[in-house]
Amino acid sequence: MNYATDPGITLAYLVAAVLFILALRGLSHPETARRGNLLGMAGMAIAALATLAHPAMLLSGVGLIVLGVVLGGAIGAVVARRVNMTALPQLVAAFHSLVGLAAVFVAASALNAPQSFGIGTPGHLHLESLIEMSLGLSIGAVTFTGAVIAFAKLQALMSGAPINFPGQHKLNLGLGILLVVLIIAFVASGGSQVLFWIIAALALALGVLLIIPIGGADMPVVISMLNSYSGWAAAGIGFTISNIALIVTGALVGSSGAILSYIMCKGMNRSIINVLLGGFGTDAAAAAGPAGAAGDKAVKIGSAEDASFIMSNASKVIIVPGYGMAVAQAQHAVREMSDLLKGAGVEVKYAIHPVAGRMPGHMNVLLAEAQVPYDEVFELEEINNEFSTADVVYVIGANDVTNPAAKTNSASPIYGMPILEVDKAKTVLFVKRSMASGYAGVDNELFFRDNTMMLFGDAKKMTEEIVQSLGK
Amino acid sequence: MTPAQLADQAAALAHKATILAQNAAGFAAQAAAHAPHGAPLIDLFAIFVMAVFVGYYVIWSVTPALHSPLLAVTNAISSVIIVGAMLATGLKGGYAAHAFGFIAVLLASVNIVGGFLVTQRMLAMFKKKAK
């Protein structure tokens, strides 16, 4: 009997798919999210148990499966417990790579034992199954190496700088066309093993080539995009083996990643094509000239004592965290600072730009880790008109997302990007290590304004000094 | 006809019927091998398209503050690919299929347990203001 036609098992898969939808639905609010996650776990358990209950399951096979689940599960549990919250982006990238690789291996085993999935006999697979299989295989392989490169960039195993070479896009296009030709040949061959692995190798290479030109700060888009790819790969495999749990989940995850990519691109006012072609931040950095160009303009430099004096006399402070806060692990110090300010009767809020950090929602997780209540943390649209009523804005580790040039200078590479309008506040405190420009390589005119005070130093050290000074 | 003859005839008929049934089963199995597997492709495609739309509306309702947990949990659930890996490992199919299936089971398990646990860890940190 073909497993796909067993109504009991299919029903179990349907239940699992519904539970997954509810798990995602739960994420609309922090209160319901935890229960949603439990529903997701239940869905996964149901899908796995229903598969084990397959009547033709061999006892030895069940043994192997249990071994794999126990081993893999143990690794996953250890990693999930030990990982540092600042290392989350690379963890997510690593997980994406595993989904991609798993898709490749499931495709390979379906090619070797097509009768297990009722899609033909070795060397004589059904036409549509071969098409679906090659899609799952190629997307899975691209996801795998793409995510490995993203991981290496985030973990600083390789430089986050874009890697460009002449003819890069033509090469990628050529390889893409070659991939399509190979898939057609593979389908026509009825499932040739050799062609299968050539397609796999080509797609693996393509995954590397697609991600290397994309710079470190564009990682929120890359991670979202790989999320989307892993979903489409799962759906491709789902079609191959006619499994509705996989098809539905693949579609959910695919659209989730696509929407996140869209939100991230909108947060930078760039098209997805512009991000994918990569190279952002290199030309502009050269055009902006050396930091010495700023030499003729004066900046006001302050100390931790100045900052604590200004903030303790304020009635409303808005904190704008960026990737620099994550790098310096300054979130706990920031929370201490805001606790002291709140204790002195100052209203404190946090403002988060959509592309702050290295993955969507990165800043929210870090602040939550430092026990900042989520109802003090606001998104750009929610808080942008409050800057004019703030006495002090404390910008820590963010730069481009506050740059007014995005609104005023149509020649700027960040022109049109939605920014946090910190320039409307009475005083802006910038915690920065140096006058160096941000990722986009443009000067921030805010640094030179009269109501701006630069606090030069490590984000964590500076904030801790302010905490000490406030405590006096 | 004596009862014994009747019984013999009945037995012979039953034997013939068994052979016929066996033949029929054989034909049915052959036909099944040529028939499209499982549900027809168009049905699966319809499910897929509907699921994309469900995903579209569900994901837009996710609060931006929880976009990181969203990434982690979608990671965990896309590892439902483990059902394919389990079938590849557990059904009759030869060493290659079993080996590939086993590796896929292993990889997907890392993701499932790791993905759900790290999501749980993140979500546990999101707290409201203490009143």
Side-chain angles (χ1 to χ4, degrees):
Chain A
M1 183 187 60
N2 187 337
Y3 87 96
T5 53
D6 184 315
I9 295 178
T10 307
L11 188 66
Y13 288 153
L14 183 63
V15 171
V18 170
L19 288 171
F20 291 156
I21 294 172
L22 293 176
L24 298 181
R25 185 75 186 85
L27 288 169
S28 57
H29 196 276
E31 295 292 301
T32 55
R34 280 179 281 264
R35 200 192 45 157
N37 197 40
L38 293 178
L39 293 177
M41 291 181 194
M44 189 60 75
I46 289 172
L49 289 177
T51 311
L52 273 184
H54 186 286
M57 198 56 94
L58 301 173
L59 200 61
S60 60
V62 174
L64 262 185
I65 292 170
V66 171
L67 180 70
V69 170
V70 169
L71 270 180
I75 298 171
V78 170
V79 170
R81 285 196 190 288
R82 292 222 179 135
V83 69
N84 195 312
M85 280 298 146
T86 41
L88 268 182
Q90 46 267 52
L91 178 74
V92 169
F95 280 165
H96 285 331
S97 76
L98 296 185
V99 180
L101 196 57
V104 170
F105 281 113
V106 174
S109 53
L111 181 70
N112 277 283
Q115 65 282 358
S116 299
F117 303 101
I119 55 174
T121 52
H124 302 280
L125 279 79
H126 298 311
L127 178 80
E128 79 256 25
S129 308
L130 284 170
I131 299 173
E132 296 151 1
M133 181 189 289
S134 31
L135 287 178
L137 164 69
S138 353
I139 304 173
V142 166
T143 310
F144 172 59
T145 44
V148 167
I149 297 294
F151 174 84
K153 288 196 175 205
L154 289 163
Q155 184 75 19
L157 298 175
M158 64 185 280
S159 158
I163 298 174
N164 295 96
F165 53 86
Q168 187 168 29
H169 303 313
K170 280 183 192 143
L171 174 71
N172 290 350
L173 184 67
L175 291 180
I177 294 170
L178 182 61
L179 187 65
V180 174
V181 172
L182 282 171
I183 288 176
I184 294 170
F186 170 70
V187 172
S189 75
S192 148
Q193 293 273 353
V194 177
L195 284 173
F196 179 92
W197 292 108
I198 295 178
I199 291 173
L202 182 61
L204 289 172
L206 207 51
V208 173
L209 290 168
L210 285 176
I211 305 301
I212 54 169
I214 306 179
D218 282 338
M219 282 301 141
V221 184
V222 171
I223 291 202
S224 313
M225 211 177 57
L226 290 169
N227 184 236
S228 183
Y229 287 178
S230 69
W232 304 132
I237 298 297
F239 276 110
T240 315
I241 66 173
S242 301
N243 184 302
I244 59 164
L246 256 175
I247 292 175
V248 171
T249 313
L252 292 175
V253 176
S255 41
S256 165
I259 290 172
L260 285 179
S261 311
Y262 170 79
I263 294 174
M264 295 299 117
C265 285
K266 227 178 118 212
M268 300 189 290
N269 189 40
R270 292 167 59 199
S271 70
I272 185 86
I273 302 292
N274 180 290
V275 175
L276 295 188
L277 292 182
F280 191 74
T282 43
D283 307 329
D296 49 346
K297 288 182 273 184
V299 297
K300 225 196 296 181
I301 300 170
S303 66
E305 285 75 28
D306 299 332
S308 85
F309 178 77
I310 295 172
M311 282 197 274
S312 52
N313 284 309
S315 60
K316 181 172 182 176
V317 173
I318 298 179
I319 299 172
V320 176
Y323 182 57
M325 181 187 82
V327 174
Q329 298 255 37
Q331 64 270 28
H332 298 278
V334 168
R335 202 256 310 153
E336 273 181 67
M337 181 182 88
S338 63
D339 281 354
L340 287 171
L341 288 172
K342 279 192 281 181
V346 182
E347 184 188 3
V348 181
K349 286 182 173 179
Y350 295 81
I352 312 257
H353 192 275
V355 293
R358 288 295 186 259
M359 70 188 285
H362 193 185
M363 291 299 125
N364 302 81
V365 172
L366 290 182
L367 291 176
E369 187 205 6
Q371 292 164 346
V372 172
Y374 63 77
D375 36 9
E376 286 178 11
V377 183
F378 297 90
E379 304 302 320
L380 181 135
E381 313 86 67
E382 295 172 322
I383 201 165
N384 230 0
N385 47 21
E386 281 191 41
F387 283 107
S388 50
T389 64
D391 301 295
V392 180
V393 175
Y394 187 75
V395 184
I396 175 165
N399 183 359
D400 291 336
V401 297
T402 65
N403 194 338
K407 285 193 300 185
T408 54
N409 179 3
S410 60
S412 172
I414 59 168
Y415 182 71
M417 176 173 105
I419 56 159
L420 291 163
E421 296 171 346
V422 302
D423 52 318
K424 296 205 170 137
K426 289 201 188 79
T427 306
V428 183
L429 301 174
F430 257 102
V431 185
K432 264 184 122 283
R433 270 187 299 211
S434 68
M435 282 300 289
S437 50
Y439 173 64
V442 285
D443 270 337
N444 192 339
E445 59 173 272
L446 264 187
F447 299 165
F448 309 105
R449 290 204 179 170
D450 288 341
N451 62 346
T452 300
M453 183 185 276
M454 303 300 293
L455 305 168
F456 288 119
D458 174 76
K460 186 177 177 186
K461 259 203 200 128
M462 178 58 70
T463 311
E464 281 170 348
E465 281 169 31
I466 295 174
V467 168
Q468 279 178 358
S469 179
L470 281 171
K472 275 179 201 163
Chain B
M1 264 194 282
T2 63
Q5 276 174 321
L6 262 179
D8 279 351
Q9 251 182 356
L13 272 176
H15 184 64
K16 268 188 199 164
T18 317
I19 292 171
L20 269 177
Q22 274 169 354
N23 282 344
F27 284 131
Q30 273 179 12
H34 290 287
H37 56 285
L41 181 61
I42 188 68
D43 289 4
L44 295 177
F45 194 66
I47 294 173
F48 174 73
V49 172
M50 291 299 129
V52 168
F53 276 92
V54 171
Y56 180 86
Y57 288 106
V58 170
I59 303 302
W60 274 115
S61 75
V62 172
T63 166
L66 295 180
H67 276 165
S68 287
L70 171 67
L71 278 169
V73 83
T74 49
N75 221 313
I77 66 171
S78 60
S79 302
V80 74
I81 200 163
I82 197 171
V83 301
M86 289 168 80
L87 291 169
T89 313
L91 301 183
K92 223 168 76 183
Y95 289 120
H98 286 166
F100 291 140
F102 175 72
I103 299 172
V105 167
L106 190 78
L107 297 173
S109 305
V110 174
N111 246 345
I112 292 171
V113 176
F116 278 125
L117 281 185
V118 89
T119 309
Q120 197 78 346
R121 242 186 92 187
M122 278 190 250
L123 293 176
M125 300 186 310
F126 280 85
K127 298 221 170 68
K128 246 189 151 131
K129 214 179 302 190
K131 292 276 155 69

